[in-house]
Amino acid sequence: MTREMVMELLATAGADLDVYTRLNGDISVTVNDFEGFDDSWSEIERELDDEELVDSIFEQLEASAISVSGDYYRYYEFDGFTVCVGYASFDI
């Protein structure tokens, strides 16, 4: 899968994923699963608009990647670039 194909695939998720291309060409993906805090400072989880689509995107990345690693953040290695996937809730 080329970088352009990966970017097109990630774009299909709309607001569920934030995608950023780093200066070195690697791609950072954040799953938007966190909205903020309520008045009591309790976390507000964001329901994904299409959880099945997001799961399908990651399955396609895994099937096409040269290698996959990581437990907390997932790293999908492709020819010439890496896709790093994390969740907004990781940064709380």
Side-chain angles (χ1 to χ4, degrees):
M1 196 178 276
T2 66
R3 183 184 332 275
E4 291 77 21
M5 294 168 69
V6 169
M7 293 298 286
E8 287 177 16
L9 178 64
L10 295 170
T12 63
D16 286 341
L17 301 178
D18 281 337
V19 180
Y20 172 76
T21 302
R22 298 186 174 281
L23 292 176
N24 67 358
D26 289 347
I27 301 168
S28 292
V29 179
T30 303
V31 179
N32 290 318
D33 66 339
F34 177 71
E35 281 195 26
F37 298 96
D38 64 16
D39 293 336
S40 302
W41 290 99
S42 296
E43 298 170 10
I44 301 172
E45 292 184 20
R46 178 185 179 276
E47 299 262 339
L48 297 180
D49 296 331
D50 193 341
E51 187 173 349
E52 289 180 14
L53 175 61
V54 172
D55 289 342
S56 172
I57 289 170
F58 296 144
E59 288 170 5
Q60 291 177 61
L61 289 176
E62 187 161 339
S64 300
I66 296 168
S67 68
V68 180
S69 62
D71 293 323
Y72 195 62
Y73 286 89
R74 296 290 284 176
Y75 298 89
Y76 302 88
E77 298 286 336
F78 290 89
D79 186 24
F81 67 100
T82 300
V83 178
C84 175
V85 176
Y87 288 75
S89 59
F90 288 178
D91 296 331
I92 300 172

